[in-house]
Amino acid sequence: MNVIEVKNLTKKFGSFTAVNNISFEVENGEIFGFLGANGAGKTTAMQMLCGLSRPTGGGGKVAGFDIREQSEEIKKNIGYMSQKFSLYNDLKVWENIRLFGGIYGMKTKEINIRTDRLLNRLGFIEEKNTMVKELPLGWKQKLAFSVAILHKPKIVFLDEPTGGVDPVTRRQFWELIYEAVEQGITVFVTTHYMDEAEYCNRVSMMVDGRIDALDTPQNLKDLYNVKTMDAVFRRLARKAERSNE
């Protein structure tokens, strides 16, 4: 069963084509890597999938809902986390959890139950009343991810979620991703760390708005006769003609 189906998806800004006629599917329970250099079009594509931007051409479905006509339903059935903004720094840890639970349409009783479970699982009980801005970056990222899946969405979109954190914290973050997948949540992730691409079930590589490659990490390495996903990325990125997203 597919939780994302995209057909000929296109986004233009005037004469500039940010996303150029891309098609792909993501299966339920999959970790799908959506990669590409800056300017490749990944952020623009993700915004359309999340119901935040309307396509110029083509279309698709996310969690069973049409990205053109049912953007509000999509927002209720997905989680989203980015490196740039995921939590409110001037709110306490528990206040952030409660706020986002309400945004996701959860009932107060359910929010309270899941808040306690989340704090216990992360070992954040003693940090419940800490202002988010006072948390180390790695802790913020783990909290932000947990908040993004608090409502048990069908799919969670992660836009460079591990940027700026140390290797140990990145590894711990991916352990949380695997736990989410075990709960039946599909993960759609962008990252600049090519070693993280190895953790994905399948990876797509965007170049200048197009998907130039899509397969398992091992099959892509075999196809280009290289040993790492970084080498695959470099091989494809050489063809890029534009540099700013």
Side-chain angles (χ1 to χ4, degrees):
M1 178 180 176
N2 297 322
V3 292
I4 296 179
E5 296 178 348
V6 173
K7 186 70 173 178
N8 303 326
L9 188 63
T10 300
K11 182 68 176 183
K12 294 184 177 181
F13 298 96
S15 60
F16 177 70
T17 303
V19 177
N20 189 1
N21 199 42
I22 64 173
S23 300
F24 64 93
E25 298 173 343
V26 178
E27 298 178 3
N28 184 47
E30 187 172 24
I31 301 176
F32 188 85
F34 198 61
L35 311 181
N38 290 337
K42 3 178 248 305
T43 296
T44 301
M46 183 180 285
Q47 288 173 345
M48 289 189 283
L49 296 179
C50 291
L52 300 174
S53 178
R54 189 174 176 83
T56 306
K61 291 185 176 182
V62 173
F65 299 101
D66 187 274
I67 62 175
R68 285 180 172 273
E69 308 298 333
Q70 298 173 294
S71 60
E72 292 306 312
E73 290 301 318
I74 288 175
K75 293 172 188 175
K76 294 176 184 177
N77 284 274
I78 66 172
Y80 176 79
M81 175 190 168
S82 73
Q83 177 190 358
K84 296 178 181 177
F85 173 78
S86 294
L87 298 169
Y88 287 92
N89 281 322
D90 291 329
L91 292 179
K92 297 176 181 178
V93 167
W94 73 268
E95 290 174 329
N96 266 280
I97 300 172
R98 180 180 291 273
L99 173 64
F100 282 96
I103 291 173
Y104 288 131
M106 296 171 59
K107 296 180 179 179
T108 301
K109 183 178 180 180
E110 187 178 22
I111 292 173
N112 291 337
I113 292 172
R114 295 193 187 179
T115 295
D116 289 341
R117 289 177 181 171
L118 189 159
L119 292 172
N120 273 299
R121 182 165 55 85
L122 294 179
F124 276 21
I125 291 294
E126 295 184 0
E127 306 298 335
K128 180 178 180 178
N129 291 307
T130 300
M131 301 293 284
V132 164
K133 63 184 176 184
E134 297 174 4
L135 295 175
L137 178 58
W139 289 31
K140 285 184 183 179
Q141 296 300 77
K142 287 187 282 188
L143 177 62
F145 176 72
S146 298
V147 168
I149 61 172
L150 185 69
H151 58 307
K152 297 183 179 179
K154 294 181 180 179
I155 180 169
V156 61
F157 289 87
L158 307 176
D159 193 3
E160 298 180 18
T162 56
V165 300
D166 62 84
V168 172
T169 303
R170 283 205 287 134
R171 188 162 57 248
Q172 292 172 343
F173 188 91
W174 274 89
E175 290 173 0
L176 293 178
I177 289 178
Y178 287 133
E179 289 176 9
V181 171
E182 290 176 358
Q183 297 171 21
I185 298 174
T186 303
V187 176
F188 187 101
V189 58
T190 72
T191 178
H192 279 308
Y193 299 109
M194 288 303 109
D195 61 315
E196 293 185 350
E198 304 275 2
Y199 307 152
C200 301
N201 298 114
R202 288 188 303 145
V203 171
S204 76
M205 292 282 192
M206 287 193 74
V207 178
D208 289 349
R210 307 179 308 274
I211 292 180
D212 269 16
L214 196 168
D215 212 326
T216 66
Q218 188 58 54
N219 285 347
L220 288 174
K221 288 184 287 187
D222 291 344
L223 176 64
Y224 291 96
N225 193 30
V226 294
K227 295 183 178 181
T228 67
M229 285 302 298
D230 185 63
V232 173
F233 173 78
R234 291 177 183 277
R235 185 78 62 88
L236 289 167
R238 288 194 198 117
K239 299 190 294 181
E241 296 178 359
R242 65 197 201 197
S243 58
N244 295 312
E245 189 127 4

